[in-house]
Amino acid sequence: MRSAGAFCLGMPEPTGPVKIKVLGSGTSVGIPTIGCACSVCTSTDPRDNRLRPSILVSCGGVNVLIDTTPDLRQQALREQLTHIEAVLYTHAHADHILGLDDIRPFNYRRKDPIPIYGSAETIDALRRSFPYIFDVKRSESSVPRIEAHVFDSGPVSIQGLDFYPVRLAHGSGVSYGFRFGKAAYLTDHSDIPEESLPLLEGLEVLFLDALRHKPHPTHSTVERSLQWVERLKPARAYFTHICHDLGHERTESQLPAHVRLAYDGLEIIMESPE
Ligand SMILES: [Zn+2]
Ligand SMILES: [Zn+2]
Ligand SMILES: [Zn+2]
């Protein structure tokens, strides 16, 4: 692995701090959940409103979107997002891909197609889910213009920003997290395989899946992710992909100070990614 300090090097060279913006911190159905009147779904704390899970990573004017959720339009409007340089996919579950059509307005503002990156399995699933996007025949109406790339274990370099895929177990399936600089974003994991652990050393910021307290076949829990924090020892950890079992304030009051729940709109700035 190239040194994490290479994050802001390359051609062209993005410079300056790395900014992580949480676009959504909720589980697949979003919070509030349709038809639910529980205390979290009806909470007036804005941090209990959770759109589907995604982050935006920005460095030197380069915007990299991780996943295109069904809430992408709302997330982009909220954050006044005007351009994206690339999309990275963690896996092809509906809550992570269904907003792909919403990248069209970003296409209007640039000449080239937008590069998207995923595992072979993810890109195949995108082809099946969005045949009209991959169909080479010209369409009368506007369709997203993308250029699909398959990643393997090596880093995905986007205008000098290196993202290392981190293989994760997601129930019986696979999902990928990404390490960039001294940060890593891991959503949708039930386990982190041993061979992925070296990529998660020396982190300043680590995002982890923490659906709820009760065990789930495809997701981590608060307790399990706290064990990962103990083992991996990031300076700070943020839990995401949160369901309505966890009220923000109450849950945070039970966590160590360096572990927080992510919330929609949370911004983390890493002044020195090296
Ligand atoms: Zn998910
Ligand atoms: Zn609820
Ligand atoms: Zn998933």
Side-chain angles (χ1 to χ4, degrees):
M1 155 174 169
R2 246 165 82 189
S3 88
F7 180 59
C8 269
L9 303 177
M11 289 294 288
E13 296 187 7
T15 52
V18 176
K19 198 173 86 180
I20 300 169
K21 172 69 85 168
V22 175
L23 299 179
S25 58
T27 190
S28 58
V29 288
I31 319 294
T33 301
I34 294 172
C36 187
C38 79
S39 62
V40 176
C41 287
T42 56
S43 162
T44 54
D45 183 341
R47 297 169 304 179
D48 285 326
N49 282 333
R50 304 176 182 129
L51 297 179
R52 267 58 79 83
S54 173
I55 60 166
L56 181 76
V57 180
S58 309
C59 181
V62 174
N63 284 337
V64 179
L65 185 59
I66 301 190
D67 291 330
T68 53
T69 82
D71 299 317
L72 176 57
R73 175 175 174 276
Q74 193 180 341
Q75 291 164 331
L77 289 172
R78 186 189 75 209
E79 300 303 336
Q80 302 181 338
L81 190 55
T82 57
H83 62 98
I84 50 171
E85 276 55 56
V87 180
L88 293 176
Y89 282 102
T90 59
H91 66 308
H93 280 165
D95 51 327
H96 298 261
I97 66 167
L98 284 188
L100 175 55
D101 194 75
D102 280 336
I103 67 163
R104 284 180 295 138
F106 297 117
N107 282 138
Y108 304 157
R109 304 172 65 94
R110 55 182 282 155
K111 279 205 187 82
D112 306 333
I114 294 173
I116 69 167
Y117 300 84
S119 67
E121 194 186 354
T122 297
I123 298 295
D124 270 357
L126 287 172
R127 268 180 216 283
R128 291 194 303 276
S129 306
F130 298 92
Y132 68 97
I133 296 180
F134 291 86
D135 192 344
V136 286
K137 285 199 292 274
R138 269 189 79 82
S139 165
E140 279 181 347
S141 46
S142 90
V143 300
R145 285 186 302 112
I146 55 161
E147 188 181 81
H149 301 271
V150 170
F151 61 66
D152 44 37
S153 56
V156 174
S157 190
I158 298 161
Q159 299 192 24
L161 283 65
D162 287 343
F163 293 81
Y164 291 82
V166 181
R167 193 181 161 88
L168 304 167
H170 185 23
S172 59
V174 172
S175 146
Y176 287 85
F178 297 99
R179 158 117 189 203
F180 44 97
K182 286 197 167 180
Y185 176 71
L186 315 185
T187 181
D188 294 66
H189 52 86
S190 44
D191 199 9
I192 307 175
E194 205 64 34
E195 65 268 22
S196 295
L197 298 180
L199 279 166
L200 303 173
E201 287 168 5
L203 290 172
E204 197 168 300
V205 172
L206 172 61
F207 280 82
L208 291 164
D209 180 348
L211 183 73
R212 61 190 190 189
H213 294 294
K214 213 169 98 193
H216 188 280
T218 63
H219 288 280
S220 187
T221 59
V222 170
E223 290 65 29
R224 182 77 185 109
S225 284
L226 281 171
Q227 290 169 0
W228 285 120
V229 171
E230 285 228 328
R231 176 153 180 198
L232 297 167
K233 299 193 174 11
R236 287 178 287 166
Y238 294 92
F239 291 171
T240 191
H241 213 295
I242 306 160
C243 91
H244 64 171
D245 289 9
L246 306 182
H248 189 94
E249 196 174 338
R250 182 159 188 256
T251 307
E252 274 204 336
S253 70
Q254 299 159 347
L255 294 173
H258 66 303
V259 181
R260 302 285 87 186
L261 290 192
Y263 57 88
D264 294 21
L266 168 68
E267 183 173 272
I268 297 162
I269 296 177
M270 301 173 67
E271 290 297 341
S272 55
E274 297 165 35

